[in-house]
Amino acid sequence: QTVEHGFPHQPSALGYSPFLRLMAIGTRSGAIKLYGAPGVEFMGLHEENNTVMQIHFIPDQCQLVTLLDDNSLHLWSLKQHGGASELREEHRFTLKGPPGSPPSATQITAVLPHSSREVLYLGTESGNIFVVELPSFRVLEDRTITSEAVLQRVPEDNCNRRSCELVEALREHPKNPDQILIGYSRGLIVLWDLQNNKATHHFLGSQQLENLYWQRDGSKFISCHYDGSYTQWPVSSDNRQPEPLENTVPYGPFPCKAIAKIYWQTTKNGLPYIIFQGGMPRASYGDRHSISVIHGSQQTAFDFTSRVIDFFIIFSSEPAAEFDDPSAMVVLAEEELVVIDLKTAGWPAVHPPYLASLHCSAITCSHHVSNIPLKLWERIISAGSKQNIHYSSMPWPIDGGTNIAPDPPQRDLLLTGHEDGTVRFWDASGVCLHLLYKLSTVRVFLTDADPNDNMNTLGEDEWPPLRKVGTFDPYSDDPRLGIQKIYLCKYSGYLAVAGTAGQVLVMELNDEDAEHVVDHAEADLLQDQEGYRWKGHEKLKTRDGPVRFEAGFQPFVLVQCQPPAVVTSLALHSEWKLVAFGTSHGFGLFDHQQKRLVFVKCTLHPSDQLALEGPLSRVKSLKKSLRQSFRRIRRSRVSSRKRRGGGGNAAEVQEANAKFDQDTLQEMELAPVQRKIEARSAEDSFTGFVRTLYFADTFLRDSSRHCPSLWAGTNGGTVYAFCLRVPPAERRMDEPVRAEQAKEIQLMHRAPVVGILVLDGRSTPLPEPLEVAHDLSKSPDMQGSHQLLVVSEEQFKVFTLPKVSSKLKLKLTALEGCRVRKVTVANFGSCKTDDYSENDLAVLTNLGDIQIISLPFLKLQIRYPCIRKEDVSGIASCVFTKYGQGFYLISPSEFERFSLSTKWLVEPRCIVDMPEVTSNNHVHNKSGMENAARKS
């Protein structure tokens, strides 16, 4: 496993180092991830798997501290090893109270790493502040700031014990490191002198405190409160009791939600930026997740589609600088990262180069295409850049560290299909998974939502001035729009996508916006068979007349399967201009050049009632499903009695075959690594479900003439082969494509067929369509005899062509019910020499193992554990690449990338150097450890 792409699942904490220019994200599962310039990524995992509550970088160091929800502190360091930096956990520590003290006495609520880099101040629920030494985490008991000591300096009116409970915030004075500001949750704020161990000022807020922020020059600080207000407090040099300068409720006068965090940023033009989280009117906007930015007369409340975890502002961190001059706001929401450019008028969002919200609409399928030709790559990027015009052109502001990984050797695309009918094209060449282009299929159909609706339109006098930001939008207008299968031909630029309601769209790339009519064709897979009634969802209604499409992939034909069941398999042959599609009812072939249906084949078995339910039909009641079960049992008994009594020739043959299967299986001496394969009944539900489709130019009728063919494999272990007659190019539009069924193979054990492959005379898999024409592959060997490889869930079987006689087979090992889930041909290149490479099968099983099996002799080469067998969705989402890498979802928002190849490896390799520390206006004591680190 090499790198994780996407957005961390369930983020819980955010940290930023202006010194290193690195950002850290912690998650509820105890992961910690650091990000800098694109390609600079680090990951650590706390052994405890507890939620990361807070992350704090040690000032001017390559170190950070995390606080977990079990109250433990962990010190992490970036250390150089083998020419690259690594993130390592150095120490862990749990604050212990005196014997018999309650847990609240040491429950940490606030952490302040001091600028001396020697100590941490830890505020607790009890109101005491403990001081621990770095890096040893030794508690300096003589420096503890107790609530009793604080109360001695507070007037007697406020001198009750409860006013010092729960330390909400600790902030170091920006100009004087000997003073820290302590904020207690009940509103009391104290300025504490560390040298003389006493309070110099106290400030009494009337509301529950949420957070504190110092102004840059240290003359004022801001407190924000539970009632949606914030207050400015002056800090005088004498010891007069300070009065608040101003108390503001930005969205009052009605009750407002708490302001959780606030920034007050100074600028050269004198107008400050006031940036705060929350504070919305409770009654009308209490459910909004907002951060407001106020600059003079400009005010915008950025409205996020998921809960805000935390945010920070990137501003001038030079100690000599007079003003903050903020440049960007970085917001970690629960489902995405949003960066706002504060320098550009209108405050546009910045397009992130990593941490993509893959699940902005739920991912329903994936498709990987290796080695994209430069021309197609540039055209896709051009189409994507037209969609990104509303993004800021600002360079990515989090740019710490240096990426030292080699440049990717080729251009790779990962396409993800989504529930809302979109397909996203990701640059999967390197460490950063970056969005290139988004395609929507919605415009072809009539849905409840109007594509011209804009969520962001705001009236001039709208208050509060909300503006939607971010791309996360989990709500689909219609679940039938979901994309189920994708096939892209990288040579011709043809793209086929198929969906949940039987829709198959064929598209081609157009560099300009265009308006045209999408041709429609229907494919009736039941072929008017009697006794079947579809109980699932209806097909999607299509738009009449011309439809306007933006530059990019534009549909020119829609094939609608009837019944409109989920499309379960898809194949495209761009040289023959044919597209094949399969559902749980059968499969069909469509000529997208002549826009004509070539044939359909129904694969339903008489007992396939389930295939007519549809995935979106209403959940049946228990009574109904029980009743159906009993009917099915009764029906199967009657039909078996009929078969016994009917005496028909076919029935007798079938019964004899089944008995023979059983007897031979029992008599077979199984090798110790192989297991018995259960023969399945033809009445298992969903036997007609088409699992795989495959085009091949091979010998199907006789060994002297090869012809185009289409192969289909079903859930019931049946393989159909059709001979195709494709007219030559000069008569392609005049003569129809003809198809004729040539073969039907029934696997004895009836296991679902998951893969079909034809090997040429050199035992090499046939090249992709147009691959030979583009000089990217040798022509297939048509002199030697071809072989057919059929991969079922339970075994691999090689047949000779054209006779289809069994030649070789490999049964899956393991007694624990191992099944093939995914199979693909992978090309493994040698990392020592460019002259050698071999084709093997990469196989993923239901146990999460990956097995590499040689071709054509079907010898198991190696087996790796990869995905946990309990992670069913991870196994279902796995997609292999052509060169021995793969991706699978470890959460709805993250792909784990893995490599089976020593040659093709994409992983972060980066270095973080210690920048020179610019001297501040106060001197730090440099510890021996730090000097040693400098020297190294």
Side-chain angles (χ1 to χ4, degrees):
Q1 296 177 346
T2 54
V3 65
E4 289 173 8
H5 294 303
F7 185 76
H9 185 49
Q10 297 182 322
S12 56
L14 178 69
Y16 177 67
S17 167
F19 173 68
L20 299 173
R21 298 183 73 83
L22 293 178
M23 167 179 70
I25 294 175
T27 71
R28 297 213 320 237
S29 58
I32 175 170
K33 300 187 176 191
L34 270 61
Y35 298 92
V40 176
E41 292 185 15
F42 301 94
M43 183 181 163
L45 187 63
H46 295 89
E47 274 178 27
E48 296 78 4
N49 289 76
N50 285 34
T51 299
V52 180
M53 303 298 288
Q54 295 182 34
I55 301 173
H56 300 274
F57 281 87
I58 310 297
D60 304 344
Q61 289 287 300
C62 289
Q63 290 183 313
L64 63 151
V65 169
T66 55
L67 171 69
L68 304 192
D69 67 350
D70 64 356
N71 207 39
S72 63
L73 285 167
H74 301 254
L75 179 68
W76 297 80
S77 294
L78 284 168
K79 292 271 176 80
Q80 286 193 25
H81 177 73
S85 298
E86 290 179 355
L87 182 65
R88 291 188 192 162
E89 188 177 350
E90 301 276 328
H91 295 286
R92 65 187 62 192
F93 162 77
T94 303
L95 188 61
K96 299 257 191 316
S101 59
S104 64
T106 52
Q107 184 68 46
I108 300 168
T109 54
V111 179
L112 170 65
H114 195 260
S115 60
S116 66
R117 307 189 282 279
E118 292 173 352
V119 291
L120 287 178
Y121 289 89
L122 307 174
T124 61
E125 263 185 26
S126 62
N128 293 335
I129 296 159
F130 295 90
V131 186
V132 298
E133 193 176 48
L134 285 174
S136 64
F137 280 135
R138 184 169 65 88
V139 180
L140 304 174
E141 292 182 5
D142 55 325
R143 291 172 64 175
T144 300
I145 304 167
T146 63
S147 44
E148 288 79 17
V150 171
L151 285 170
Q152 285 171 9
R153 289 301 305 251
V154 178
E156 285 186 10
D157 316 354
N158 309 90
C159 204
N160 68 338
R161 179 75 189 78
R162 296 193 67 189
S163 61
C164 270
E165 275 180 10
L166 206 152
V167 178
E168 199 71 62
L170 291 170
R171 297 283 179 266
E172 184 180 334
H173 193 294
K175 298 293 182 190
N176 182 357
D178 292 331
Q179 291 186 331
I180 61 169
L181 203 56
I182 306 168
Y184 297 94
S185 68
R186 290 185 163 259
L188 172 67
I189 304 164
V190 171
L191 186 61
W192 187 262
D193 184 339
L194 298 171
Q195 290 289 65
N196 302 311
N197 224 14
K198 63 171 193 177
T200 58
H201 297 69
H202 69 273
F203 310 83
L204 292 170
S206 58
Q207 289 292 334
Q208 184 177 321
L209 180 75
E210 291 289 318
N211 222 319
L212 297 170
Y213 186 78
W214 276 109
Q215 284 194 25
R216 192 179 187 93
D217 60 2
S219 64
K220 293 198 281 281
F221 69 86
I222 321 295
S223 62
C224 55
H225 301 275
Y226 182 74
D227 67 341
S229 68
Y230 65 85
T231 308
Q232 295 182 62
W233 302 87
V235 179
S236 55
S237 51
D238 55 23
N239 286 351
R240 278 183 300 116
Q241 171 58 31
E243 289 295 319
L245 286 175
E246 187 184 357
N247 185 53
T248 311
V249 184
Y251 295 112
F254 300 109
C256 292
K257 293 203 77 174
I259 292 180
K261 186 173 182 178
I262 192 162
Y263 279 84
W264 185 288
Q265 302 275 280
T266 55
T267 59
K268 289 188 186 72
N269 67 6
L271 290 170
Y273 277 84
I274 304 161
I275 303 167
F276 55 88
Q277 176 189 343
M280 282 279 138
R282 202 174 273 279
S284 318
Y285 300 95
D287 58 342
R288 299 300 178 98
H289 315 289
S290 73
I291 293 179
S292 300
V293 181
I294 303 170
H295 180 59
S297 59
Q298 280 177 278
Q299 179 165 351
T300 299
F302 292 100
D303 185 11
F304 299 88
T305 53
S306 58
R307 188 170 61 90
V308 173
I309 304 296
D310 200 356
F311 75 103
F312 62 83
I313 305 298
I314 297 177
F315 57 90
S316 172
S317 57
E318 284 295 315
E322 197 179 339
F323 302 103
D324 293 312
D325 281 328
S327 57
M329 173 171 77
V330 180
V331 183
L332 176 68
E334 200 161 35
E335 306 291 356
E336 64 187 324
L337 183 84
V338 178
V339 178
I340 303 294
D341 175 359
L342 297 174
K343 287 279 191 204
T344 306
W347 300 331
V350 183
H351 196 48
Y354 46 68
L355 284 171
S357 183
L358 298 175
H359 63 318
C360 36
S361 168
I363 292 178
T364 45
C365 66
S366 310
H367 174 66
H368 187 276
V369 191
S370 298
N371 216 357
I372 302 288
L374 181 62
K375 183 81 178 112
L376 176 64
W377 187 261
E378 287 172 344
R379 291 177 72 190
I380 290 171
I381 287 176
S382 164
S385 62
K386 290 173 185 169
Q387 297 176 332
N388 291 339
I389 48 173
H390 57 284
Y391 279 108
S392 163
S393 56
M394 168 192 221
W396 184 242
I398 302 161
D399 55 5
T402 310
N403 177 16
I404 56 171
D407 287 339
Q410 59 182 32
R411 294 169 293 273
D412 287 356
L413 272 181
L414 180 66
L415 281 68
T416 52
H418 297 262
E419 196 176 47
D420 62 356
T422 58
V423 178
R424 285 171 170 80
F425 289 65
W426 305 92
D427 176 356
S429 322
V431 169
C432 296
L433 193 70
H434 182 60
L435 183 65
L436 297 178
Y437 162 69
K438 181 177 111 177
L439 158 73
S440 176
T441 61
V442 179
R443 284 188 176 275
V444 180
F445 305 103
L446 286 167
T447 59
D448 300 337
D450 183 3
N452 300 320
D453 283 354
N454 189 353
M455 302 287 281
N456 283 345
T457 47
L458 267 185
E460 297 242 330
D461 306 321
E462 195 88 26
W463 190 260
L466 287 162
R467 183 175 119 203
K468 272 228 180 298
V469 281
T471 56
F472 179 71
D473 182 12
Y475 307 107
S476 170
D477 300 327
D478 191 326
R480 295 174 297 173
L481 289 166
I483 305 293
Q484 296 295 333
K485 294 287 168 192
I486 306 170
Y487 192 99
L488 170 68
C489 172
K490 63 186 178 186
Y491 304 112
S492 63
Y494 281 116
L495 171 72
V497 297
T500 303
Q503 70 272 31
V504 180
L505 286 161
V506 187
M507 316 191 187
E508 58 188 339
L509 196 50
N510 188 347
D511 299 327
E512 301 299 329
D513 292 13
E515 192 168 355
H516 59 253
V517 175
V518 178
D519 288 291
H520 294 171
E522 286 227 337
D524 179 12
L525 295 169
L526 292 183
Q527 297 168 303
D528 305 321
Q529 291 203 20
E530 288 183 14
Y532 289 108
R533 193 169 58 82
W534 171 246
K535 302 171 193 166
H537 49 264
E538 292 179 5
K539 67 174 187 180
L540 283 157
K541 292 188 174 69
T542 51
R543 289 180 189 275
D544 295 327
V547 182
R548 182 150 194 83
F549 297 104
E550 53 186 28
F553 286 95
Q554 298 172 351
F556 61 89
V557 68
L558 163 69
V559 184
Q560 178 62 56
C561 299
Q562 286 291 14
V566 172
V567 176
T568 56
S569 53
L570 184 69
L572 177 77
H573 201 295
S574 41
E575 199 169 350
W576 304 336
K577 305 284 195 300
L578 299 174
V579 62
F581 47 88
T583 72
S584 48
H585 305 120
F587 60 97
L589 181 66
F590 186 80
D591 175 351
H592 65 75
Q593 184 161 1
Q594 289 189 14
K595 295 175 184 164
R596 172 185 160 272
L597 192 65
V598 179
F599 78 89
V600 290
K601 167 78 177 170
C602 180
T603 54
L604 272 185
H605 186 273
S607 68
D608 264 355
Q609 283 304 311
L610 266 181
L612 293 163
E613 295 288 345
L616 301 172
S617 62
R618 227 172 256 102
V619 177
K620 297 173 290 300
S621 67
L622 184 62
K623 267 186 189 170
K624 188 177 173 188
S625 44
L626 280 170
R627 194 161 57 237
Q628 283 181 340
S629 304
F630 282 123
R631 275 184 192 157
R632 208 169 285 135
I633 292 166
R634 201 177 303 133
R635 199 184 306 122
S636 67
R637 280 180 186 157
V638 168
S639 60
S640 61
R641 214 173 292 137
K642 272 182 190 165
R643 276 205 301 275
R644 279 199 296 275
N649 212 11
E652 281 174 5
V653 170
Q654 192 175 352
E655 201 168 300
N657 279 348
K659 190 172 187 315
F660 177 73
D661 284 0
Q662 287 297 109
D663 294 348
T664 38
L665 277 171
Q666 278 159 9
E667 284 167 21
M668 273 166 65
E669 290 246 58
L670 292 172
V673 293
Q674 299 185 347
R675 68 183 196 86
K676 244 180 199 182
I677 295 171
E678 298 163 31
R680 303 177 187 215
S681 150
E683 294 184 351
D684 279 0
S685 283
F686 275 127
T687 52
F689 179 129
V690 179
R691 288 285 287 265
T692 184
L693 290 162
Y694 177 70
F695 285 109
D697 187 352
T698 188
F699 300 92
L700 198 52
R701 291 195 179 284
D702 57 56
S703 52
S704 58
R705 282 178 306 155
H706 56 91
C707 66
S709 62
L710 171 66
W711 300 75
T714 73
N715 225 32
T718 310
V719 176
Y720 299 94
F722 279 75
C723 261
L724 308 177
R725 195 191 152 280
V726 181
E730 62 275 10
R731 299 198 302 281
R732 182 66 179 80
M733 286 302 286
D734 307 327
E735 297 177 17
V737 174
R738 299 196 184 283
E740 190 182 341
Q741 185 169 336
K743 298 272 189 279
E744 182 175 332
I745 308 162
Q746 176 62 58
L747 299 178
M748 282 184 176
H749 58 288
R750 299 184 185 278
V753 177
V754 291
I756 297 172
L757 183 68
V758 171
L759 305 173
D760 71 6
R762 289 189 294 263
S763 299
T764 304
L766 294 183
E768 291 175 34
L770 296 175
E771 195 173 5
V772 176
H774 283 74
D775 295 330
L776 290 162
S777 171
K778 287 180 186 168
S779 294
D781 182 338
M782 292 301 192
Q783 307 308 313
S785 58
H786 284 198
Q787 299 170 81
L788 169 71
L789 170 66
V790 176
V791 181
S792 78
E793 279 192 357
E794 297 179 0
Q795 72 176 17
F796 302 80
K797 199 160 187 179
V798 175
F799 298 89
T800 57
L801 285 176
K803 284 188 175 174
V804 193
S805 53
S806 176
K807 180 180 176 184
L808 187 67
K809 66 180 167 189
L810 169 73
K811 299 191 181 94
L812 264 199
T813 62
L815 296 161
E816 59 265 44
C818 194
R819 298 258 195 279
V820 175
R821 284 285 173 259
K822 300 275 164 103
V823 62
T824 194
V825 175
N827 181 275
F828 291 97
S830 164
C831 59
K832 297 281 195 311
T833 169
D834 288 342
D835 305 341
Y836 181 76
S837 71
E838 61 184 56
N839 290 305
D840 296 292
L841 288 177
V843 180
L844 174 73
T845 73
N846 61 333
L847 305 177
D849 289 343
I850 290 177
Q851 304 185 7
I852 308 294
I853 292 167
S854 71
L855 287 174
F857 301 113
L858 302 183
K859 292 275 184 282
L860 178 63
Q861 302 292 303
I862 195 162
R863 175 177 169 179
Y864 301 104
C866 182
I867 310 174
R868 287 181 309 110
K869 66 180 178 192
E870 299 80 20
D871 185 4
V872 178
S873 56
I875 291 170
S877 67
C878 183
V879 55
F880 287 110
T881 79
K882 194 178 171 181
Y883 295 101
Q885 295 185 68
F887 302 81
Y888 67 92
L889 288 171
I890 48 174
S891 74
S893 58
E894 286 170 294
F895 275 113
E896 175 75 67
R897 187 181 191 127
F898 61 86
S899 181
L900 309 164
S901 164
T902 52
K903 185 175 180 179
W904 301 94
L905 210 63
V906 173
E907 58 186 343
R909 193 167 163 75
C910 41
I911 195 159
V912 175
D913 285 317
M914 278 277 283
E916 278 302 306
V917 182
T918 48
S919 61
N920 208 326
N921 58 352
H922 49 266
V923 179
H924 294 317
N925 300 322
K926 291 196 171 46
S927 64
M929 182 207 109
E930 192 196 322
N931 288 331
R934 283 277 165 80
K935 282 174 193 147
S936 73

